[in-house]
Amino acid sequence: MSTYNWAIEFQGVVIGNIAVVTQDDECFTCHLGWQIDKPYWNKGIMTEAAKAVIDYLFDQVHYDRIASGCDTRNIGSSRVMQKIGMTLEGTFRRYCYQKDGSIGDKFYYAILESNRRC
Ligand SMILES: CC(C)(COP(=O)(O)OP(=O)(O)OC[C@H]1O[C@@H](n2cnc3c(N)ncnc32)[C@H](O)[C@@H]1OP(=O)(O)O)[C@@H](O)C(=O)NCCC(=O)NCCS
């Protein structure tokens, strides 16, 4: 089984990563995770990276379904999921535990190869 984890480089510096964090190659499906250093937030960098990764995973790896998820309080991450064409499939209640002890709900998004251009 292959693993996938890309560094995100900006002006010669690694500022983040995007990775396949779980996968089921028999079902042609995987789950993406991502992070970027705070000074680089809200510049469209993760949206650009995630679009490229999704194209690669559909076209080269031939996944049929790519998912991701985040705490419902994580507006930036959920916006990335929306901007790359993912659809909100559900909300898991009391699923995200934070370091401050709080518990949040989790948005669950996915995109299918068959509707990626819609
Ligand atoms: C989530 C994360 C990867 C997003 O990366 P990014 O490069 O900043 O994302 P983009 O710039 O491509 O898109 C972010 C979008 O969220 C929007 N956004 C962020 N915070 C927002 C807020 N408080 N209110 C409204 N919109 C907000 C931005 O305006 C942008 O949308 P727009 O292009 O429509 O204006 C980054 O914030 C991060 O690494 N966070 C910490 C780690 C993390 O949360 N990882 C994900 C765990 S599920």
Side-chain angles (χ1 to χ4, degrees), residues 8-78:
I8 298 172
E9 193 180 302
F10 183 75
Q11 296 179 339
V13 178
V14 173
I15 60 165
N17 83 304
I18 177 167
V20 171
V21 291
T22 61
Q23 65 202 91
D24 182 341
D25 291 353
E26 290 182 4
C27 293
F28 305 101
T29 182
C30 70
H31 190 107
L32 291 180
W34 48 51
Q35 67 85 28
I36 204 164
D37 293 345
K38 199 164 187 178
Y40 302 95
W41 288 7
N42 301 328
K43 299 178 188 299
I45 294 173
M46 192 55 74
T47 300
E48 182 180 333
K51 281 180 177 170
V53 162
I54 281 178
D55 281 346
Y56 176 85
L57 293 172
F58 280 143
D59 294 336
Q60 306 299 322
V61 186
H62 303 296
Y63 280 130
D64 177 57
R65 170 188 168 81
I66 300 171
S68 194
C70 65
D71 192 310
T72 56
R73 296 166 291 187
N74 192 336
I75 299 169
S77 198
S78 58

